[in-house]
Amino acid sequence: MSTCTTASRDLDEPLAGTAATARTWLLIEQSGPWGAKALTSSHLDPEVGRALEAAAEGTGVRVALVRRPGRHADRHGQPRRQVYVAHTAPGDAWLRSATITAPEELLALDFAALGAGVHGGFGTPHQGAPLALVCTNGKRDRCCAVLGRPLAAELALSGEEGVWEVTHLGGHRFSPTLLVLPYGYAYGRSTAAEVKEILQAVRTGRVVTEGCRGSSAWDRPGQAAELAVRRAAREDAADALTVVRTEAVEGDLPCWEVALAHVDGRRWQVTVAQGTSAPPRPESCGAALGSPARMDVVEVREVSAPLG
């Protein structure tokens, strides 16, 4: 039986510019089963889940649930939970961790500040391995479970310490999907060997662009533009590039001019147009055929030389 992942792969649908957008991620450990909308359909108190969703709305913070790879017993009660908060802006990326006894404690956080990169002293700096978050929520799409769970299990069994399953990263048809923190780059169609290469790069402050969907710090035109500049300039330093602005351009189709800056003073202007993927394909398993939007880089122009 064909799946959304099979169709997307066979049609060679591009990955760039398809990552979820979030400047800051709040990840809460929640064992047991997850429903399609996990914050309100898991063993997390649904009232707390709804309150967390409301608190994060419009702040640039995305809330997700995580659990360790493996079997997930249908049980209630979890005396202590791991929590991570990660801000992904280049040059100001950080990852902090804490353990809590009650998820409602998190409602006291200043979500607007978190979205702006101010952690307010929450938790302590994360000193361990980079986090590899693999989407495994089969209640949203079966591909996430069928392809994501084996990937997470293989990585964990191989000794990768920072591996977690996560509720939702978007783009089911690119499964298995992955988000890596602290830098916030998302990947699709990943294998265990590729993830190991990605994590090794993160340990040395670098970004692997192969299979990359983009940085969650940027909007989707910015994601596509940044990856295009990285490839053109052969730049893999995680903190090297910043999307300065994204401006819409009038025309028959949605189009943007994206300005990017390098830490060495170089500047680029990238034209990104929104196209439609053809022929039609399902955006998730069981969905009607559709033509998902795609971000096509039309032109990359370096507009200034390095300072100094």
Side-chain angles (χ1 to χ4, degrees):
M1 181 180 297
S2 180
T3 64
C4 64
T5 301
T6 303
S8 178
R9 188 187 297 269
D10 288 350
L11 293 169
D12 198 25
E13 186 176 352
L15 293 166
T18 67
T21 55
R23 300 279 280 183
T24 302
W25 292 81
L26 173 60
L27 307 170
I28 308 162
E29 184 180 4
Q30 177 59 60
S31 61
W34 296 332
K37 295 183 178 179
L39 281 177
T40 55
S41 54
S42 69
H43 288 168
L44 179 71
D45 182 338
E47 291 300 320
V48 174
R50 277 188 283 271
L52 288 168
E53 286 180 330
E57 186 174 0
T59 66
V61 178
R62 184 166 176 138
V63 185
L65 304 182
V66 296
R67 63 191 178 195
R68 287 297 190 182
R71 294 181 62 85
H72 307 294
D74 189 5
R75 62 183 175 83
H76 291 266
Q78 193 169 350
R80 297 192 67 78
R81 303 162 188 263
Q82 182 69 47
V83 176
Y84 295 102
V85 181
H87 187 63
T88 61
D92 188 32
W94 48 258
L95 174 59
R96 297 177 72 86
S97 64
T99 55
I100 61 171
T101 56
E104 52 266 31
E105 297 173 32
L106 300 172
L107 294 172
L109 292 172
D110 186 336
F111 281 76
L114 290 177
V118 179
H119 55 68
F122 175 81
T124 59
H126 176 65
Q127 300 296 332
L131 302 187
L133 309 171
V134 182
C135 184
T136 63
N137 192 349
K139 293 296 185 181
R140 292 195 70 98
D141 192 283
R142 60 176 173 162
C143 287
C144 297
V146 171
L147 299 174
R149 292 191 68 182
L151 174 62
E154 182 178 354
L155 290 168
L157 288 172
S158 73
E160 290 289 350
E161 297 177 358
V163 180
W164 293 84
E165 297 185 6
V166 68
T167 48
H168 183 49
L169 296 177
H172 316 298
R173 63 192 185 279
F174 305 123
S175 295
T177 58
L178 174 83
L179 178 75
V180 179
L181 296 173
Y183 298 127
Y185 284 86
Y187 294 84
R189 304 176 186 140
S190 303
T191 67
E194 290 165 343
V195 175
K196 286 177 174 292
E197 180 184 351
I198 290 164
L199 293 175
Q200 183 55 39
V202 172
R203 292 183 182 98
T204 56
R206 297 180 297 112
V207 174
V208 172
T209 59
E210 186 68 26
C212 191
R213 300 174 62 193
S215 166
S216 72
W218 314 127
D219 57 21
R220 294 191 173 184
Q223 293 171 12
E226 191 225 19
L227 288 174
V229 170
R230 283 192 177 279
R231 290 164 181 149
R234 298 183 179 180
E235 178 59 77
D236 65 358
D239 290 334
L241 291 170
T242 298
V243 174
V244 178
R245 65 182 176 276
T246 301
E247 296 181 346
V249 177
E250 291 186 7
D252 295 334
L253 295 174
C255 187
W256 300 266
E257 289 292 331
V258 184
L260 293 97
H262 194 287
V263 291
D264 67 10
R266 282 179 290 172
R267 300 288 187 271
W268 287 266
Q269 198 79 15
V270 181
T271 304
V272 180
Q274 179 176 304
T276 55
S277 298
R281 80 287 313 276
E283 294 192 48
S284 61
C285 289
L289 296 181
S291 300
R294 52 184 284 170
M295 294 292 121
D296 295 322
V297 173
V298 177
E299 185 180 16
V300 178
R301 306 182 302 282
E302 187 171 349
V303 294
S304 67
L307 296 177

mmCIF file of all heavy atoms in Angstrom, residues 147-170:
data_model
loop_
_atom_site.group_PDB
_atom_site.id
_atom_site.type_symbol
_atom_site.label_atom_id
_atom_site.label_comp_id
_atom_site.label_asym_id
_atom_site.label_seq_id
_atom_site.Cartn_x
_atom_site.Cartn_y
_atom_site.Cartn_z
ATOM 1 N N LEU A 147 8.067 4.552 10.379
ATOM 2 C CA LEU A 147 9.437 4.910 10.023
ATOM 3 C C LEU A 147 10.191 5.592 11.167
ATOM 4 O O LEU A 147 11.407 5.411 11.310
ATOM 5 C CB LEU A 147 9.426 5.837 8.806
ATOM 6 C CG LEU A 147 8.810 5.232 7.537
ATOM 7 C CD1 LEU A 147 8.731 6.289 6.440
ATOM 8 C CD2 LEU A 147 9.606 4.035 7.069
ATOM 9 N N GLY A 148 9.481 6.371 11.982
ATOM 10 C CA GLY A 148 10.149 7.119 13.043
ATOM 11 C C GLY A 148 10.570 6.267 14.221
ATOM 12 O O GLY A 148 11.690 6.407 14.741
ATOM 13 N N ARG A 149 9.699 5.377 14.692
ATOM 14 C CA ARG A 149 10.028 4.601 15.877
ATOM 15 C C ARG A 149 11.231 3.680 15.674
ATOM 16 O O ARG A 149 12.104 3.604 16.541
ATOM 17 C CB ARG A 149 8.807 3.826 16.366
ATOM 18 C CG ARG A 149 7.712 4.747 16.916
ATOM 19 C CD ARG A 149 6.636 3.989 17.642
ATOM 20 N NE ARG A 149 7.142 3.400 18.881
ATOM 21 C CZ ARG A 149 6.425 2.646 19.686
ATOM 22 N NH1 ARG A 149 5.167 2.361 19.389
ATOM 23 N NH2 ARG A 149 6.950 2.153 20.788
ATOM 24 N N PRO A 150 11.341 2.974 14.533
ATOM 25 C CA PRO A 150 12.556 2.184 14.334
ATOM 26 C C PRO A 150 13.825 3.027 14.294
ATOM 27 O O PRO A 150 14.879 2.601 14.784
ATOM 28 C CB PRO A 150 12.304 1.492 12.990
ATOM 29 C CG PRO A 150 10.824 1.446 12.856
ATOM 30 C CD PRO A 150 10.342 2.721 13.485
ATOM 31 N N LEU A 151 13.751 4.231 13.703
ATOM 32 C CA LEU A 151 14.921 5.097 13.665
ATOM 33 C C LEU A 151 15.325 5.505 15.078
ATOM 34 O O LEU A 151 16.511 5.424 15.448
ATOM 35 C CB LEU A 151 14.640 6.338 12.818
ATOM 36 C CG LEU A 151 15.748 7.393 12.809
ATOM 37 C CD1 LEU A 151 17.032 6.837 12.210
ATOM 38 C CD2 LEU A 151 15.296 8.647 12.056
ATOM 39 N N ALA A 152 14.363 5.948 15.886
ATOM 40 C CA ALA A 152 14.674 6.351 17.261
ATOM 41 C C ALA A 152 15.259 5.183 18.047
ATOM 42 O O ALA A 152 16.238 5.346 18.796
ATOM 43 C CB ALA A 152 13.413 6.883 17.937
ATOM 44 N N ALA A 153 14.682 3.997 17.877
ATOM 45 C CA ALA A 153 15.171 2.822 18.601
ATOM 46 C C ALA A 153 16.586 2.457 18.175
ATOM 47 O O ALA A 153 17.448 2.153 19.021
ATOM 48 C CB ALA A 153 14.226 1.651 18.372
ATOM 49 N N GLU A 154 16.848 2.499 16.875
ATOM 50 C CA GLU A 154 18.190 2.164 16.387
ATOM 51 C C GLU A 154 19.235 3.140 16.915
ATOM 52 O O GLU A 154 20.334 2.746 17.336
ATOM 53 C CB GLU A 154 18.205 2.143 14.855
ATOM 54 C CG GLU A 154 19.559 1.741 14.272
ATOM 55 C CD GLU A 154 19.543 1.675 12.752
ATOM 56 O OE1 GLU A 154 18.460 1.836 12.149
ATOM 57 O OE2 GLU A 154 20.633 1.461 12.169
ATOM 58 N N LEU A 155 18.901 4.422 16.912
ATOM 59 C CA LEU A 155 19.838 5.423 17.428
ATOM 60 C C LEU A 155 20.106 5.211 18.913
ATOM 61 O O LEU A 155 21.254 5.276 19.366
ATOM 62 C CB LEU A 155 19.282 6.824 17.189
ATOM 63 C CG LEU A 155 19.254 7.290 15.730
ATOM 64 C CD1 LEU A 155 18.415 8.551 15.604
ATOM 65 C CD2 LEU A 155 20.666 7.531 15.221
ATOM 66 N N ALA A 156 19.051 4.952 19.690
ATOM 67 C CA ALA A 156 19.219 4.737 21.126
ATOM 68 C C ALA A 156 20.049 3.494 21.406
ATOM 69 O O ALA A 156 20.953 3.511 22.257
ATOM 70 C CB ALA A 156 17.854 4.640 21.799
ATOM 71 N N LEU A 157 19.783 2.409 20.693
ATOM 72 C CA LEU A 157 20.529 1.167 20.891
ATOM 73 C C LEU A 157 21.998 1.310 20.503
ATOM 74 O O LEU A 157 22.862 0.605 21.032
ATOM 75 C CB LEU A 157 19.878 0.036 20.108
ATOM 76 C CG LEU A 157 18.550 -0.482 20.663
ATOM 77 C CD1 LEU A 157 17.907 -1.459 19.686
ATOM 78 C CD2 LEU A 157 18.762 -1.152 22.019
ATOM 79 N N SER A 158 22.281 2.225 19.590
ATOM 80 C CA SER A 158 23.667 2.432 19.159
ATOM 81 C C SER A 158 24.466 3.289 20.130
ATOM 82 O O SER A 158 25.659 3.489 19.939
ATOM 83 C CB SER A 158 23.692 3.073 17.772
ATOM 84 O OG SER A 158 23.301 4.442 17.841
ATOM 85 N N GLY A 159 23.794 3.809 21.168
ATOM 86 C CA GLY A 159 24.501 4.578 22.187
ATOM 87 C C GLY A 159 24.344 6.075 22.099
ATOM 88 O O GLY A 159 24.945 6.804 22.906
ATOM 89 N N GLU A 160 23.532 6.580 21.154
ATOM 90 C CA GLU A 160 23.290 8.025 21.093
ATOM 91 C C GLU A 160 22.446 8.428 22.305
ATOM 92 O O GLU A 160 21.324 7.968 22.477
ATOM 93 C CB GLU A 160 22.575 8.402 19.799
ATOM 94 C CG GLU A 160 23.428 8.267 18.554
ATOM 95 C CD GLU A 160 24.528 9.323 18.472
ATOM 96 O OE1 GLU A 160 24.510 10.278 19.278
ATOM 97 O OE2 GLU A 160 25.409 9.178 17.610
ATOM 98 N N GLU A 161 22.980 9.307 23.144
ATOM 99 C CA GLU A 161 22.357 9.600 24.436
ATOM 100 C C GLU A 161 21.213 10.605 24.359
ATOM 101 O O GLU A 161 20.332 10.605 25.216
ATOM 102 C CB GLU A 161 23.424 10.114 25.413
ATOM 103 C CG GLU A 161 24.508 9.086 25.722
ATOM 104 C CD GLU A 161 25.565 9.650 26.635
ATOM 105 O OE1 GLU A 161 25.470 10.863 26.987
ATOM 106 O OE2 GLU A 161 26.496 8.907 27.005
ATOM 107 N N GLY A 162 21.213 11.457 23.380
ATOM 108 C CA GLY A 162 20.230 12.539 23.350
ATOM 109 C C GLY A 162 18.989 12.248 22.530
ATOM 110 O O GLY A 162 18.306 13.184 22.119
ATOM 111 N N VAL A 163 18.679 10.990 22.298
ATOM 112 C CA VAL A 163 17.562 10.628 21.419
ATOM 113 C C VAL A 163 16.257 10.591 22.203
ATOM 114 O O VAL A 163 16.158 9.958 23.254
ATOM 115 C CB VAL A 163 17.798 9.255 20.759
ATOM 116 C CG1 VAL A 163 16.628 8.895 19.850
ATOM 117 C CG2 VAL A 163 19.102 9.271 19.975
ATOM 118 N N TRP A 164 15.255 11.270 21.664
ATOM 119 C CA TRP A 164 13.899 11.255 22.213
ATOM 120 C C TRP A 164 12.910 11.093 21.067
ATOM 121 O O TRP A 164 13.164 11.530 19.945
ATOM 122 C CB TRP A 164 13.584 12.576 22.930
ATOM 123 C CG TRP A 164 14.367 12.829 24.174
ATOM 124 C CD1 TRP A 164 15.620 13.368 24.254
ATOM 125 C CD2 TRP A 164 13.945 12.583 25.514
ATOM 126 N NE1 TRP A 164 16.001 13.469 25.561
ATOM 127 C CE2 TRP A 164 14.995 12.999 26.369
ATOM 128 C CE3 TRP A 164 12.783 12.062 26.090
ATOM 129 C CZ2 TRP A 164 14.917 12.906 27.751
ATOM 130 C CZ3 TRP A 164 12.696 11.969 27.473
ATOM 131 C CH2 TRP A 164 13.757 12.380 28.287
ATOM 132 N N GLU A 165 11.771 10.497 21.377
ATOM 133 C CA GLU A 165 10.625 10.548 20.476
ATOM 134 C C GLU A 165 9.869 11.843 20.767
ATOM 135 O O GLU A 165 9.807 12.276 21.921
ATOM 136 C CB GLU A 165 9.719 9.340 20.693
ATOM 137 C CG GLU A 165 10.392 8.014 20.390
ATOM 138 C CD GLU A 165 9.443 6.838 20.506
ATOM 139 O OE1 GLU A 165 8.225 7.055 20.704
ATOM 140 O OE2 GLU A 165 9.909 5.688 20.395
ATOM 141 N N VAL A 166 9.295 12.447 19.742
ATOM 142 C CA VAL A 166 8.581 13.711 19.903
ATOM 143 C C VAL A 166 7.225 13.613 19.204
ATOM 144 O O VAL A 166 7.052 12.842 18.260
ATOM 145 C CB VAL A 166 9.411 14.894 19.351
ATOM 146 C CG1 VAL A 166 9.545 14.805 17.834
ATOM 147 C CG2 VAL A 166 8.843 16.237 19.777
ATOM 148 N N THR A 167 6.272 14.421 19.678
ATOM 149 C CA THR A 167 4.893 14.282 19.225
ATOM 150 C C THR A 167 4.642 14.759 17.801
ATOM 151 O O THR A 167 3.880 14.140 17.067
ATOM 152 C CB THR A 167 3.950 15.048 20.171
ATOM 153 O OG1 THR A 167 4.480 16.366 20.403
ATOM 154 C CG2 THR A 167 3.803 14.329 21.475
ATOM 155 N N HIS A 168 5.245 15.854 17.377
ATOM 156 C CA HIS A 168 4.854 16.393 16.068
ATOM 157 C C HIS A 168 5.878 17.404 15.593
ATOM 158 O O HIS A 168 6.200 18.360 16.299
ATOM 159 C CB HIS A 168 3.483 17.060 16.166
ATOM 160 C CG HIS A 168 2.964 17.573 14.859
ATOM 161 N ND1 HIS A 168 2.948 16.822 13.707
ATOM 162 C CD2 HIS A 168 2.438 18.785 14.525
ATOM 163 C CE1 HIS A 168 2.433 17.539 12.717
ATOM 164 N NE2 HIS A 168 2.126 18.720 13.186
ATOM 165 N N LEU A 169 6.380 17.192 14.363
ATOM 166 C CA LEU A 169 7.300 18.139 13.739
ATOM 167 C C LEU A 169 6.776 18.646 12.408
ATOM 168 O O LEU A 169 7.426 19.458 11.757
ATOM 169 C CB LEU A 169 8.677 17.478 13.521
ATOM 170 C CG LEU A 169 9.435 17.064 14.781
ATOM 171 C CD1 LEU A 169 10.732 16.361 14.387
ATOM 172 C CD2 LEU A 169 9.718 18.259 15.678
ATOM 173 N N GLY A 170 5.598 18.177 11.992
ATOM 174 C CA GLY A 170 5.062 18.571 10.701
ATOM 175 C C GLY A 170 5.736 17.823 9.557
ATOM 176 O O GLY A 170 6.816 17.260 9.699
#
